[in-house]
């Protein structure tokens, strides 16, 4: 499965949308609802988000929200799925063969992408790709971070001469978890990101990947 297919699979399995939009107007309406949810989350956090808040911010009726989402949990899961799609789309471009000097540099580029999404994508620092949400039951057997790690590993194997193995997948998976956790901490109290923590994240990722790639 390539990165594009993985992105589509992760999005479709995680987004419980009642009515899949087929017309451009419906697609735009859904995007507006998710954009509105992200804006509210940036202001008050995802824990306090309600469907009424989404409707008010979007300038839509509550019925319009319920047309697509059965409840607030579905809104959050769908936003996380969209974040996943955008993250994986950027990884697909960034990890193309030959773009980086080494496999380790390619993984560090994923860390940089993650930090950039924290800075630029509304709602990302709170919801990310969904692993931070305490939502039960889980939508898939694997976590979103593990799915991202598999996509990254597949790209390294395909384009950077990395030999696929359980050890390599474990190392990349650990690197992805470290990047997610430390980048989140770097942006917890700093809008541009705490540079010392971001540097520590890079150091930790390098250490995990040493002699593994």
């Amino acid at each position: 499965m390539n990165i594009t297919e993985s992105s589509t699979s992760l999005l479709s399995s995680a987004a419980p949308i009642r009515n899949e939009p087929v017309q451009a107007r419906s697609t735009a309406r859904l995007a507006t609802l998710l954009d509105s949810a992200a804006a509210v989350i940036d202001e008050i956090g995802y824990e306090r988000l309600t469907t009424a808040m989404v409707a008010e911010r979007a300038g839509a009726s509550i019925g319009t929200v319920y047309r697509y989402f059965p409840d607030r949990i579905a809104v959050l899961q769908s936003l996380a799925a969209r974040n996943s799609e955008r993250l994986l789309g950027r990884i697909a471009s960034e990890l193309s063969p030959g773009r980086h000097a080494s496999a380790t540099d390619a993984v560090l580029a994923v860390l940089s992408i993650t930090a950039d999404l924290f800075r630029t994508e509304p709602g990302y620092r709170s919801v990310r790709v969904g692993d931070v949400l305490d939502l039960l039951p889980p939508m898939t057997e694997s976590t979103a971070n593990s799915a991202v790690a598999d996509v990254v590993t597949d790209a390294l194997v395909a384009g950077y001469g990395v030999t696929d193995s359980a050890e390599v997948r474990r190392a990349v998976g650990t690197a992805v978890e470290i990047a997610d956790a430390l980048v989140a901490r770097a942006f917890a109290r700093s809008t541009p990101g705490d540079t010392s923590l971001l540097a520590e994240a890079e150091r930790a990722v390098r250490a995990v990947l040493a002699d593994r790639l």
Side-chain angles (χ1 to χ4, degrees), residues 4-152:
T4 301
E5 290 170 340
S6 297
S7 173
T8 302
S9 174
L10 187 57
L11 179 66
S12 61
S13 67
I17 299 173
R18 274 182 165 165
N19 295 297
E20 284 291 341
V22 294
Q23 298 180 346
R25 186 171 64 180
S26 294
T27 300
R29 184 178 296 118
L30 176 60
T32 297
L33 293 175
L34 291 178
D35 289 344
S36 299
V40 173
I41 288 169
D42 263 354
E43 294 174 4
I44 65 172
Y46 74 84
E47 298 89 346
R48 295 168 57 193
L49 180 75
T50 67
T51 51
M53 292 175 182
V54 175
E56 181 179 3
R57 180 61 64 95
S61 68
I62 191 67
T64 297
V65 177
Y66 285 128
R67 178 183 174 188
Y68 295 101
F69 306 106
D71 51 38
R72 64 180 292 275
I73 301 302
V75 175
L76 292 169
Q77 290 173 326
S78 295
L79 183 60
R82 188 176 74 168
N83 288 343
S84 298
E85 183 182 45
R86 291 178 175 179
L87 171 64
L88 291 174
R90 291 190 58 177
I91 288 174
S93 174
E94 191 65 36
L95 269 61
S96 57
R99 179 154 186 163
H100 298 281
S102 68
T104 296
D105 288 341
V107 178
L108 290 172
V110 175
L111 189 155
S112 295
I113 289 170
T114 302
D116 188 58
L117 286 170
F118 269 78
R119 294 188 185 99
T120 63
E121 187 70 29
Y124 195 89
R125 67 178 60 197
S126 293
V127 176
R128 308 212 285 286
V129 294
D131 285 349
V132 298
L133 300 177
D134 185 17
L135 305 176
L136 297 176
M139 296 300 295
T140 59
E141 290 185 4
S142 63
T143 66
N145 276 346
S146 66
V148 170
D150 283 341
V151 167
V152 172

